[in-house]
Amino acid sequence: MKRRALPSITTIVLTFVLLLAASPAWAKGKKPPPPPPLDGKTIDYAWDGKDVGHPERAWLGRAFVHPTALADANAKRPLLVFIHGLNTERIKYRWMGGGNEGDVRRIVAGLVEAGKIPPVIVAAPSSIVPSAVTNAVTSWPAFDLDRFVDETGKALGGTASIDSSRILVAAHSGGGCNVRGGIATAIRGKTKVHAALSIDTCMLPDMAKVLASGRSDMHVIVSWQTLSWAKRPFSDFRALFTKGVAENPAASGFLRELEHVQPREPMPHDAMVGLTLGRWLPILLPTGNGRPPTPSP
C-alpha cells in the first residue's frame, strides 16, 4: 500500500500563517454590522465532480448579475471568476455573501455604479470539501475553468450573456497557491482568459513560473501586502517571474505587473481583494473604446 507523503514544514508554516492572516473580524470579538440590501440577481448552482470521478473537485457556484446587466439580457458582459482561499470553516459562498471577510458582488457593484467599469457578471466557485481547501499548496485541485464557465452560462439562462473575450480570473490567498489547481489550472485551460489576478497568495516560486508562462494576450497582475503576511519568498518569486516574462513577453497592450501594496484598512489580507479589484478592474475593463489607461504609481 502506497503511503501518502507528509506535508513539508514549509507547507505547514505557510498554511498556518495564511489561516492567521485570513482570520475574520468576528474571530477577534468584533461583530460586523449587517450589510445593506444588494440590488441585482444572485443565482446558485453546483457541480459534484462525480461525472469525472473526482468529488474532491466539487463546488457550489454563485453568480451575481447587476441591475444594469439585467436591463439587457442579450448584451455580452465581462465575467469575473473569483476563487476564494482556505475554507476550514466550510462556509458556503465565501466572499459571495457567505462569511465576514467581504463580498465581491458588492465590490464590483460599487465599481459599476461609480461608472468605473461596465456591467460585469461575477461568479465564484465555493468549496466546502475539507481535502480541497484546508492546505494552501494543495487547494482547489485541478480547478476546471472551462466547466465552471459552461455551468455558469447554463445557470444564467436568459438572465445575462457572457462575453467570452472578457473572462477574468481572480484568486485570493490559497486560491493562488497550488501550481496544479486554482488559478494555475484556470489559465491553462481552453477558455481564453483576458486577465489573471493573483491577490495576496503564497508567492511560491513555482507559481511565478506558471503566471509568467501564461498566454501572451492575457494580462497578469500580482498584488500582495506584507503587513500581516511577511514571511513569503518574495525575492525568489520576483526573480523567476521577471525571468519568465523576459522569455515569454506579453503582447502589445497586455500587462505583466508586480505590485506591493500597503493597506491602511484593518485586516490587510482581506482588504487586498477590494483594493486590487478597485485598482485594476477599471484598467482591465475600460468603459470607453480606447486602450486601457496606464496604471498610476
Side-chain angles (χ1 to χ4, degrees), residues 191-250:
T191 299
K192 185 177 179 180
V193 175
H194 176 64
L197 296 94
S198 171
I199 306 174
D200 212 29
T201 67
C202 295
M203 304 289 287
L204 296 175
D206 285 346
M207 183 59 75
K209 298 177 184 177
V210 171
L211 293 171
S213 66
R215 291 184 175 97
S216 62
D217 57 350
M218 175 181 72
H219 298 286
V220 178
I221 309 298
V222 180
S223 187
W224 74 95
Q225 57 82 33
T226 51
L227 296 178
S228 67
W229 193 5
K231 293 184 178 180
R232 285 177 281 178
F234 303 111
S235 297
D236 292 344
F237 185 99
R238 182 185 292 276
L240 288 172
F241 184 83
T242 302
K243 179 182 178 182
V245 170
E247 295 172 350
N248 179 43

Side-chain angles (χ1 to χ4, degrees), residues 47-108:
W47 178 62
D48 61 15
K50 294 180 180 179
D51 58 335
V52 295
H54 287 281
E56 75 279 3
R57 300 180 190 174
W59 43 256
L60 303 175
R62 174 168 280 184
F64 171 71
V65 185
H66 190 269
T68 54
L70 291 172
D72 185 355
N74 294 319
K76 298 292 185 180
R77 309 294 187 184
L79 172 67
L80 172 65
V81 177
F82 181 83
I83 306 174
H84 68 68
L86 299 184
N87 194 14
T88 55
E89 302 93 334
R90 304 187 196 182
I91 296 171
K92 296 180 179 179
Y93 310 115
R94 193 153 212 170
W95 281 97
M96 288 289 283
N100 295 284
E101 302 92 343
D103 192 331
V104 176
R105 300 174 304 170
R106 295 178 184 275
I107 293 170
V108 171

